[in-house]
Amino acid sequence: METLPIGKAFTLLEPGPVVLVTTNDGRKDNVMTISWTMVLDFAASFAITTGPWNHSYAALRESRECVIAIPTVDMLDTVVGVGTCSGRDTDKFGKFGLTRIKAAQVRAPLIGECLANIECRVADIVERHNIVVLEGLAAYLDSARKEKRTLHAIGDGTFVTDGRKFDRREMMRSKLPDGV
Ligand SMILES: Cc1cc2nc3c(=O)[nH]c(=O)nc-3n(C[C@H](O)[C@H](O)[C@H](O)COP(=O)(O)O)c2cc1C
């Protein structure tokens, strides 16, 4: 997995993929599935919607760290499996055969099977709306990976994946940050 400049990390989340979020509560690693994500600005600021109904939330609140890992379409059953059981009673890394890779700046692990990973610090928690604001610290991309299509949740238990890519980079030049 190669390093991706942190200024490009927003391009991983802007298309709205379903993500896996890893945490470490000081004793154990855990992972949950999140489809409600948002980019807040170009400088690697993101938000996810989650709350105390998930076991991961306590680790997010206490450690103030996590990793956003971006799975691909071939991982659909893992993504749904991870999101339908809990770290309260399940070792999800073992159950789903996920490979932990040590992160550089946070205790939560990267996921080796994923296309990309973003190490994050919890910058804020807006409890009234169950919004966790994250600051990206480091990003990685497995550009050698053959399957690069990510998953998008419809919200009713069905999913779609990426289709054709359109290039309007020249037309959008004035709106794109430097280096993107
Ligand atoms: C496709 C999918 C998307 C999900 N998106 C979210 C989400 O955006 N926010 C959330 O709080 N839970 C979401 N979940 C539910 C959590 O992943 C689920 O409650 C999980 O069991 C939490 O794990 P934990 O208890 O180990 O933290 C989603 C589940 C699936 C299958």
Side-chain angles (χ1 to χ4, degrees):
M1 213 160 283
E2 315 109 61
T3 304
L4 181 78
I6 195 66
K8 287 190 179 177
F10 80 93
T11 64
L12 300 170
L13 290 182
E14 182 137 347
V18 180
V19 301
L20 299 175
V21 174
T22 77
T23 48
N24 178 289
D25 64 3
R27 291 179 307 122
K28 280 190 302 178
D29 296 325
N30 191 24
V31 54
M32 67 175 163
T33 302
I34 292 283
S35 51
W36 289 351
T37 69
M38 183 179 174
V39 175
L40 297 179
D41 69 36
F42 294 125
S45 184
F46 315 112
I48 60 174
T49 304
T50 193
W53 56 88
N54 285 336
H55 184 64
S56 304
Y57 186 69
L60 271 174
R61 273 187 68 141
E62 278 146 40
S63 70
R64 301 198 77 83
E65 296 175 346
C66 67
V67 168
I68 300 176
I70 303 185
T72 46
V73 63
D74 50 322
M75 295 175 70
L76 175 59
D77 289 340
T78 296
V79 166
V80 175
V82 164
T84 49
C85 66
S86 179
R88 257 179 220 110
D89 51 26
T90 307
D91 164 18
K92 296 196 223 179
F93 281 86
K95 178 168 180 174
F96 297 102
L98 295 170
T99 308
R100 297 168 166 92
I101 298 179
K102 199 173 168 2
Q105 300 188 48
V106 300
R107 212 149 17 149
L110 314 179
I111 299 179
E113 286 74 16
C114 284
L115 172 66
N117 284 271
I118 310 171
E119 297 182 25
C120 296
R121 177 181 83 79
V122 174
D124 199 4
I125 297 183
V126 186
E127 282 188 22
R128 189 162 170 235
H129 296 288
N130 300 306
I131 293 171
V132 179
V133 179
L134 301 172
E135 179 198 351
L137 303 173
Y140 309 89
L141 179 70
D142 184 358
S143 57
R145 203 179 193 292
K146 218 166 161 204
E147 181 58 81
K148 292 197 174 67
R149 291 173 300 163
T150 59
L151 281 161
H152 308 274
I154 305 294
D156 62 356
T158 66
F159 298 81
V160 293
T161 191
D162 302 328
R164 204 175 136 199
K165 194 170 181 179
F166 301 91
D167 187 340
R168 294 293 182 278
R169 289 172 63 78
E170 284 319 308
M171 210 171 158
M172 283 192 66
R173 184 58 57 201
S174 64
K175 298 290 178 198
L176 302 178
D178 290 342
V180 169

